[in-house]
Amino acid sequence: EHCAIRRKRSSDYQTGPVLKDLNGGCDPSPAFRSRQLLAPGALQALPTNAHKKECFPQFFQPWTPSASQERAAPEGGKMNDRRDYGGSDRFEHMARPASASTRTKLKKFLLRYYPPGIILEYEHMGELMQRSVDLLDLSSESDPEVLLNQIMRQESMIKESHREPLRKLIYKLQDKLGSVVRADFTLFKVLRAHILPLTNCAFNKSGDKFITGSYDRTCKVWNTNTGEEVHTLEGHKNVVYAIAFNNPYGDKIITGSFDKTCKLWDANTGQLYYTLRGHATEIVCLGFNPQSTVIATGSMDNTAKLWDVETGTEVCTLLGHTAEIVSLCFNTMGDQIVTGSFDHDSRLWDVRTGRCIHALSGHRSEVSSTQFNYAGNLVVSGSIDRTCRLWDVGSGRCQQVRQGHSDEVLDVAFDATGKQMVSASADATARVYNVMTGACTHVLAGHEGEISKVSFNPQGTKVITASSDKQCRLWDTDTGACTQILEGHTDEIFSCAFNYEGDYIITGSKDNTCRIWRT
């Protein structure tokens, strides 16, 4: 009854009726695992609605309900939170040091651990704003004084009186980076989560909640610390395939379904805000921008769409791909998005205009996965042609082609700083690369089935792989050694994720269960 997508070898991909095994389970496709790629802790500049109107005028058009939308919003039809997320000058503002004019006053420093950075909260012309000082090269061996002097030269509103508190924050960041989680993970809870196989699982930023999507047409919200079900998000008429929190805020959830719709939910109450209608076929990938103002959905109808979070209205349709879109990812600033398609290409888009900036052409077969690095200057793509490619965002040119896999590349990912990347393949191996040199530093071999999901822990010291051999494995990025095998699932594992601190893991399987692991 469910409309599923079957993964076939090479270039033979199509939609069709669900395939059931002898136990009545479904066969979801690893190549379509949705990406939960919003950069952790990506708080950026936060101007007012007046500025926001200039940058995204289409988001402030008068809204009237239409037959193509369902709305179920609390408190007189309005959403509870009306944040200010960004303005017309936010994008150029992020690229230059904050001015030390008489109208700018530094209020406080905030820490971001992964990737390491210091957030400057300041008042400018009566507006409370934030900007990020990224310290992507910081390590426990870095010289704090050299770094401190560099920051003070770069940020003119930081005065000599700020030197000592800033020094303490750098020490605190270094201590955090040095406190690597080395203990093994143990099984905490087995959740009989759904009556049909899981499709995806994802943490909120704080890690106290996570969500699971399923072929049973529901998404469930869970309490990580107790393993208790908090909410069941019901309403879709087919498989719930792609799910995401609006991290770093974590107060909203989106679910994308084979019923061609995306639904926006209140993460705290489970209430439905909107049903986003417009796609002609299944939605298989989605995400929030880091500022939580825009939702992106990718579909088997060859299009991606951008939606306004505040009103639930469609902002624009990204047209240009000639085959199914199976992957998408916003950059950290939220002004660009990358899409990966079965037409063999990835495309970079301007979120503000919906214009295609670059077509990233070079793969010889379907693109299965795409991701921005944290700095937003590079994109990695993985393909059924057994390669992954590294692209320069500014020029749209391919910088590196990484070969070595003997079967399809199903997933790719950067670490939090963008120094490392990893590819996972149907050949049962994963490969870790140094982004700067392009060298393959480790081949992670040990699985007996294809690896459909791979990611780094927030610290970049471990890689987790999920496989059809019913196991997840943890690998040391320094040595390439397998440090632990997470066993217990009785069928293929399609999804896995670390929490923000890296001390909890969730795994989702075709056996209809989700497992919580902790150190």
Side-chain angles (χ1 to χ4, degrees), residues 345-417:
D345 291 346
S346 300
R347 284 178 177 258
L348 287 168
W349 309 84
D350 187 320
V351 171
R352 295 168 291 188
T353 65
R355 181 179 64 89
C356 180
I357 304 169
H358 297 296
L360 310 180
S361 301
H363 283 297
R364 292 177 287 105
S365 192
E366 294 91 332
V367 173
S368 58
S369 178
T370 55
Q371 189 180 350
F372 275 102
N373 67 344
Y374 180 80
N377 63 321
L378 297 173
V379 161
V380 62
S381 60
S383 171
I384 307 306
D385 68 6
R386 307 180 183 184
T387 71
C388 57
R389 288 175 176 256
L390 197 65
W391 308 85
D392 177 74
V393 169
S395 65
R397 294 177 180 172
C398 180
Q399 289 191 336
Q400 299 173 15
V401 180
R402 297 294 94 201
Q403 298 176 318
H405 285 296
S406 60
D407 208 335
E408 306 164 359
V409 174
L410 302 177
D411 197 20
V412 290
F414 284 105
D415 70 358
T417 63

Side-chain angles (χ1 to χ4, degrees), residues 92-154:
E92 62 175 348
H93 172 79
M94 289 300 301
R96 68 172 188 267
S99 170
S101 71
T102 56
R103 294 175 294 180
T104 300
K105 182 179 181 181
L106 182 62
K107 305 291 285 186
K108 66 173 72 170
F109 296 115
L110 302 171
L111 277 182
R112 185 191 64 220
Y113 290 124
Y114 310 117
I118 296 172
I119 311 299
L120 309 182
E121 186 170 285
Y122 61 98
E123 190 177 282
H124 179 66
M125 298 180 67
E127 303 286 352
L128 192 62
M129 304 178 74
Q130 293 180 339
R131 66 171 269 101
S132 171
V133 178
D134 297 326
L135 306 175
L136 304 184
D137 295 323
L138 181 68
S139 70
S140 55
E141 290 78 33
S142 300
D143 188 328
E145 293 305 315
V146 172
L147 186 58
L148 181 60
N149 291 333
Q150 180 182 339
I151 294 172
M152 294 190 69
R153 286 195 303 269
Q154 175 184 333

Side-chain angles (χ1 to χ4, degrees), residues 2-6 15-16 18 27-29 32-33 199 214-215 236-242 255-262 280-285 300:
H2 299 296
C3 176
I5 300 174
R6 180 189 178 194
T15 60
V18 73
D27 185 16
S29 158
F32 295 143
R33 295 285 71 90
T199 55
S214 170
Y215 274 71
H236 282 295
K237 298 177 181 178
N238 211 320
V239 177
V240 174
Y241 201 78
T255 53
S257 171
F258 284 4
D259 68 9
K260 312 173 190 177
T261 72
C262 173
T281 55
E282 299 95 326
I283 293 174
V284 293
C285 53
M300 303 296 283

Side-chain angles (χ1 to χ4, degrees), residues 415-463:
D415 70 358
T417 63
K419 295 178 182 178
Q420 304 175 93
M421 68 181 189
V422 63
S423 58
S425 172
D427 68 7
T429 71
R431 288 175 169 257
V432 181
Y433 300 94
N434 180 303
V435 171
M436 181 175 292
T437 66
C440 177
T441 54
H442 303 294
V443 178
L444 311 181
H447 281 295
E448 297 179 355
E450 65 181 25
I451 301 172
S452 59
K453 176 67 178 176
V454 65
S455 65
F456 288 92
N457 68 343
Q459 296 85 355
T461 58
K462 294 180 185 293
V463 165

